[in-house]
Amino acid sequence: MSGFDYESLLDRARDRIPKDISERARWTMPEPEILLEGNQTILRNFSSIVDSMDRDANHVYQFLINELGTSGTQESTRILLKGRVPPKRIKEKIVAYVKTFILCGQCKAPDTRFIKEDRTYLLKCQACGATRPVRL
Ligand SMILES: [Zn+2]
């Protein structure tokens, strides 16, 4: 399998931030392990991916299910998706999640948190302090 989109995404992101920040925020995400089995698709290391993201597993799961237009089952460490979903599509959606809900809009650091202001959720960067609205 050829190069994986989010690795280049993260490499590019690291290029743009000062070295001390990028080293503090050094972030490696495991390569998704995807199996097609019968009429279902298994993302075997879902929990490791979510752990590396420091995000709520249900939020990531719902995003993937909605974006992929399928249904599924969440187990302790893996998720099962109905139907045969091409691994490339799953990876694209994981990248989309990272871009939407993790990377800072300003400095692209992955070191961000959700905060609530009035009724709006914001993604706040721990590296540069920038915020942007997110729809949770
Ligand atoms: Zn930032």
Side-chain angles (χ1 to χ4, degrees), residues 42-113:
I42 304 169
L43 178 53
R44 289 179 57 196
N45 58 343
F46 176 71
S47 61
S48 322
I49 291 172
V50 169
D51 285 349
S52 77
M53 287 175 165
D54 194 20
R55 290 294 184 268
D56 179 63
N58 284 320
H59 187 245
V60 180
Y61 173 73
Q62 287 301 331
F63 177 87
L64 291 177
I65 292 291
N66 290 341
E67 290 285 313
L68 293 167
T70 184
S71 59
T73 311
Q74 195 179 344
E75 296 187 340
S76 57
T77 60
R78 59 182 200 167
I79 58 176
L80 312 176
L81 301 170
K82 221 172 198 174
R84 296 173 74 84
V85 184
K88 188 169 179 287
R89 281 198 68 213
I90 298 176
K91 292 178 182 182
E92 282 168 1
K93 298 311 178 189
I94 294 172
V95 170
Y97 185 92
V98 170
K99 285 181 174 172
T100 309
F101 295 110
I102 299 181
L103 296 185
C104 170
Q106 293 295 319
C107 73
K108 307 297 177 197
D111 193 6
T112 57
R113 296 283 177 277

Side-chain angles (χ1 to χ4, degrees), residues 15 24 34 96 107 125:
D15 287 343
R24 185 156 51 86
I34 298 160
C107 73
C125 178

